[in-house]
Amino acid sequence: MRYNLLQLVQRILESLDSDEVNTISDTTESLAVANIIKECYYEIISEIQPKETEGLFHLDASTDNTKPVVMYLPETVSNIEWLKYNIGDTVLDTNFRDLCYLDIDQFFNFSNGLDPDESWVDSQEVFINGQSFNVKFRNDQSPSYWTSVDDRTILFDSYDSSYELTLTSSRTYGYGGLIPVFLMEDTFVPKIDARQFQLLLNSAKSQASIELKQIVNEKAERKERKHRILAYKTQDNTDNRPEIKKRKGYGR
């Protein structure tokens, strides 16, 4: 069963033997409970990453002609499961290629092996951990490989300078974990599986009992542990991908 934010707050206030409310902002306590629910929600998202919080996205382009093979992970994306790039002559020519992830040492071994005297080899300055590095890349073909150098910066092995100045956001096609927005509104329904609402409810009950009443709610804690175990067991029920593809993606 799914609950909106007001219903969750009311359920928790009832368990705390507190005053009834008609909106989450009725009392200081109800607003505090709403904030606890928000905190618990993001903890669940971070720990379990329900399928409801995964989806498609575009990478952000550098839009800097001196960094044509640099792109950035959007702030709304937590991790990458896979990437594709449109290698067609135009954006409308949707010929998407699967891009292969390389560990950073493999990527730099490839990059360092390029001959700078060749006309199809260029280089760019990339800042990693506050230091400057010169990274070589091909300028005559669409990308095949990518790697990550920090929580947000993505490097590619090449781009085709014959039809774009830098790798283009609209040509990317990514799938991974999305960071959902939590709205502090009565009617907001958290974006998780219906079976995980009991985990959210009992997690917030337990935390609210300690923070607001200085009392340990043992019943809520037991239910939280039970539903946390259940959440792990059921989180991939709708995931039919082969195990070999279920690798941990890059991300924050």
Side-chain angles (χ1 to χ4, degrees):
M1 180 176 180
R2 300 179 186 272
Y3 304 97
N4 62 35
L5 183 56
L6 176 59
Q7 291 170 326
L8 288 167
V9 168
Q10 290 171 330
R11 291 284 301 274
I12 292 170
L13 288 175
E14 181 181 356
S15 73
L16 297 176
D17 198 25
S18 299
D19 294 336
E20 294 182 3
V21 297
N22 295 313
T23 180
I24 63 171
S25 58
D26 263 359
T27 66
T28 301
E29 188 177 38
S30 62
L31 193 56
V33 168
N35 278 299
I36 288 172
I37 293 169
K38 179 180 179 179
E39 182 180 329
C40 291
Y41 172 70
Y42 280 117
E43 286 178 358
I44 292 171
I45 294 301
S46 175
E47 184 177 352
I48 299 175
Q49 193 172 312
K51 298 298 293 182
E52 288 76 14
T53 62
E54 294 184 356
L56 298 170
F57 59 86
H58 294 299
L59 292 177
D60 293 333
S62 70
T63 65
D64 182 348
N65 293 356
T66 67
K67 296 180 174 58
V69 293
V70 173
M71 301 192 84
Y72 301 99
L73 192 67
E75 294 295 339
T76 56
V77 179
S78 62
N79 71 285
I80 298 171
E81 288 293 329
W82 51 256
L83 284 175
K84 298 176 185 286
Y85 198 81
N86 182 3
I87 63 174
D89 292 340
T90 67
V91 176
L92 296 178
D93 181 8
T94 53
N95 182 13
F96 283 93
R97 168 191 288 167
D98 290 319
L99 301 181
C100 179
Y101 172 81
L102 295 180
D103 290 332
I104 194 164
D105 60 329
Q106 295 175 309
F107 185 90
F108 277 102
N109 285 339
F110 168 83
S111 172
N112 292 335
L114 295 175
D115 184 353
D117 293 330
E118 296 287 355
S119 61
W120 43 267
V121 175
D122 277 331
S123 65
Q124 62 186 6
E125 183 182 29
V126 178
F127 285 90
I128 305 172
N129 297 323
Q131 296 181 309
S132 175
F133 295 85
N134 188 270
V135 181
K136 289 179 287 185
F137 56 90
R138 298 188 62 141
N139 62 27
D140 63 337
Q141 62 184 29
S142 297
S144 298
Y145 303 104
W146 66 280
T147 193
S148 59
V149 298
D150 57 29
D151 279 351
R152 186 163 180 256
T153 306
I154 311 294
L155 292 180
F156 294 85
D157 65 307
S158 61
Y159 85 112
D160 193 333
S161 60
S162 66
Y163 58 77
E164 56 184 348
L165 297 176
T166 69
L167 292 177
T168 309
S169 176
S170 59
R171 288 182 179 270
T172 62
Y173 195 2
Y175 182 87
L178 307 180
I179 302 173
V181 175
F182 190 101
L183 301 177
M184 296 293 283
E185 299 174 355
D186 289 347
T187 57
F188 171 70
V189 179
K191 196 173 183 180
I192 52 177
D193 189 280
R195 293 167 296 185
Q196 293 164 350
F197 271 82
Q198 290 303 315
L199 171 58
L200 175 60
L201 177 62
N202 285 289
S203 177
K205 273 186 183 181
S206 178
Q207 186 169 326
S209 181
I210 293 173
E211 290 190 15
L212 304 180
K213 300 294 185 180
Q214 288 75 53
I215 298 172
V216 175
N217 189 330
E218 294 182 357
K219 184 176 181 180
E221 288 188 351
R222 286 196 300 271
K223 287 185 176 181
E224 178 190 357
R225 286 193 293 271
K226 172 185 174 182
H227 288 288
R228 191 173 298 274
I229 292 171
L230 179 62
Y232 275 111
K233 289 181 178 179
T234 61
Q235 63 178 323
D236 290 326
N237 277 6
T238 60
D239 190 351
N240 295 317
R241 292 173 293 168
E243 285 300 322
I244 193 171
K245 294 185 179 180
K246 294 183 184 179
R247 67 169 181 83
K248 182 177 178 63
Y250 157 75
R252 287 187 258 281

